[in-house]
């Protein structure tokens, strides 16, 4: 098991514990959620401030180049993770790849918008409240790593080989925090805005530097060069003497 995968498993355990802690607060410490209201973020201290800091740091690490601490799948938009293949890049094939994966990505986008719209209807009709909206985002926070480490439903649409080559790897925070757009207040709005910034940086880089996102132009994305081995149930691992499917 790679070091990166071990770290991600530990992070998944941590996220599950955070979810359990938030459920506990829903039952026994609902005052903690007052920070979600308006500008209460600046007037009262809550355990949710810790979670806000963790989320902001996660998004910050997606929009700056980091060499070793962030998986290649999340950092492939940056020049320091680009290793051009030795042979000449087939730019026509590259264009076709980007077009096809972008079409698939926006199928996911539309489906997610429908889901978020349903959540919005439930909120505005009073079926769920702000705390429930928050818990949905925390639940998505857990599901994010389940998609990486266990099984990803979006792969049925994207048809990507693994997370390292995934076209929508850095859409995670946009998807996590999309339910918060209905909530208002500094806590939710700041997270939603920064998630939008991280998504915009990613999408701009796809348009400006498409060669960084294709394993036939970026050698670092090829299975034989993989060191992260995050989603070993999908990728092909090179083992001594033979190559097998995980």
């Amino acid at each position: 098991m790679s070091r990166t995968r071990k770290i991600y498993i530990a992070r998944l355990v941590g996220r599950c514990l955070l979810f359990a802690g938030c459920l506990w607060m829903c039952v026994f410490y609902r005052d903690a959620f007052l920070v979600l209201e308006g500008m209460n973020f600046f007037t009262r201290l809550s355990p949710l401030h810790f979670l806000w800091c963790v989320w902001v740091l996660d998004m910050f690490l997606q929009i700056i180049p980091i060499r070793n601490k962030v998986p290649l799948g999340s950092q492939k938009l940056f020049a320091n993770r680009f290793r051009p293949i030795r042979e000449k890049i087939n730019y026509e094939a590259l264009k076709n790849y980007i077009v096809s994966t972008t079409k698939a990505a926006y199928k996911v986008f539309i489906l997610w918008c429908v889901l978020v719209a349903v959540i919005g209807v439930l909120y505005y009709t009073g079926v769920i409240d702000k705390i429930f909206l928050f818990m949905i985002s925390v639940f998505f926070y857990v599901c994010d790593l389940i998609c990486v480490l266990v099984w990803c439903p979006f792969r049925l649409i994207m048809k990507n080989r693994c997370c390292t080559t995934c076209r929508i790897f850095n859409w995670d925070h946009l998807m996590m925090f999309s339910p918060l757009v209905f909530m208002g207040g500094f806590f939710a709005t700041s997270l939603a805005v920064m998630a939008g910034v991280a998504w915009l940086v990613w999408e701009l880089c796809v348009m400006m530097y498409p060669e960084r996102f294709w394993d036939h132009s970026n050698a670092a994305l090829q299975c034989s060069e993989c060191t992260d081995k995050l989603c070993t149930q999908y990728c092909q691992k090179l083992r001594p003497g033979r190559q097998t499917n995980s």
Side-chain angles (χ1 to χ4, degrees):
M1 186 184 298
S2 71
R3 178 176 178 273
T4 303
R5 185 171 173 84
K6 289 178 181 177
I7 290 172
Y8 262 60
I9 290 173
R11 289 177 64 183
L12 176 58
V13 172
R15 293 187 185 191
C16 290
L17 292 175
L18 281 171
F19 182 75
C22 290
L23 282 177
W24 180 89
M25 287 191 294
C26 286
V27 178
F28 299 106
Y29 186 31
R30 293 181 71 86
D31 282 354
F33 296 97
L34 291 175
V35 73
L36 301 177
E37 298 288 344
M39 302 301 285
N40 282 354
F41 183 90
F42 301 103
T43 61
R44 59 191 308 122
L45 190 62
S46 164
L48 271 59
H49 281 86
F50 168 76
L51 196 49
W52 183 90
C53 290
V54 170
W55 284 339
V56 168
L57 178 61
D58 281 348
M59 289 186 280
F60 182 72
L61 292 178
Q62 286 187 340
I63 60 178
I64 61 171
I66 301 293
R67 188 65 185 172
N68 298 317
K69 298 184 183 299
V70 180
L72 174 59
S74 178
Q75 288 275 299
K76 59 178 177 276
L77 68 163
F78 296 116
N80 68 335
R81 293 297 189 100
F82 177 58
R83 289 172 45 204
I85 59 172
R86 292 181 179 180
E87 60 269 24
K88 184 178 179 181
I89 295 174
N90 184 336
Y91 283 97
E92 185 63 29
L94 172 60
K95 178 183 176 181
N96 292 336
Y97 171 80
I98 293 298
V99 169
S100 64
T101 54
T102 298
K103 286 180 178 178
Y106 281 89
K107 289 179 183 177
V108 173
F109 187 84
I110 291 170
L111 288 173
W112 196 261
C113 285
V114 171
L115 173 61
V116 173
V118 171
I119 293 171
V121 169
L122 293 175
Y123 175 70
Y124 285 117
T125 55
V127 176
I128 59 178
D129 59 8
K130 288 185 178 181
I131 295 178
F132 202 99
L133 281 180
F134 174 82
M135 290 304 301
I136 290 174
S137 283
V138 180
F139 176 71
F140 289 163
Y141 184 51
V142 175
C143 291
D144 173 50
L145 288 193
I146 291 176
C147 286
V148 174
L149 295 170
V150 183
W151 182 72
C152 179
F154 304 116
R155 197 168 166 269
L156 300 175
I157 299 174
M158 297 302 303
K159 308 296 184 184
N160 52 287
R161 185 189 71 231
C162 63
C163 293
T164 299
T165 58
C166 182
R167 168 65 175 77
I168 62 173
F169 195 101
N170 278 10
W171 285 24
D172 52 351
H173 291 98
L174 183 76
M175 299 170 91
M176 273 187 263
F177 301 137
S178 49
L180 301 184
V181 299
F182 307 113
M183 187 184 298
F186 178 83
F187 185 98
T189 302
S190 59
L191 291 173
V193 168
M194 192 163 182
V197 170
W199 173 83
L200 185 61
V201 169
W202 177 269
E203 290 301 301
L204 287 174
C205 286
V206 171
M207 290 188 289
M208 294 188 296
Y209 311 109
E211 66 277 0
R212 299 176 185 176
F213 294 80
W214 189 35
D215 59 351
H216 291 286
S217 52
N218 185 358
L221 302 181
Q222 296 175 359
C223 279
S224 58
E225 302 298 320
C226 181
T227 57
D228 291 340
K229 291 185 172 59
L230 269 178
C231 40
T232 54
Q233 73 275 35
Y234 300 141
C235 69
Q236 291 184 331
K237 293 189 296 185
L238 297 178
R239 304 185 184 214
R242 64 190 181 95
Q243 180 170 313
T244 61
N245 289 327
S246 302

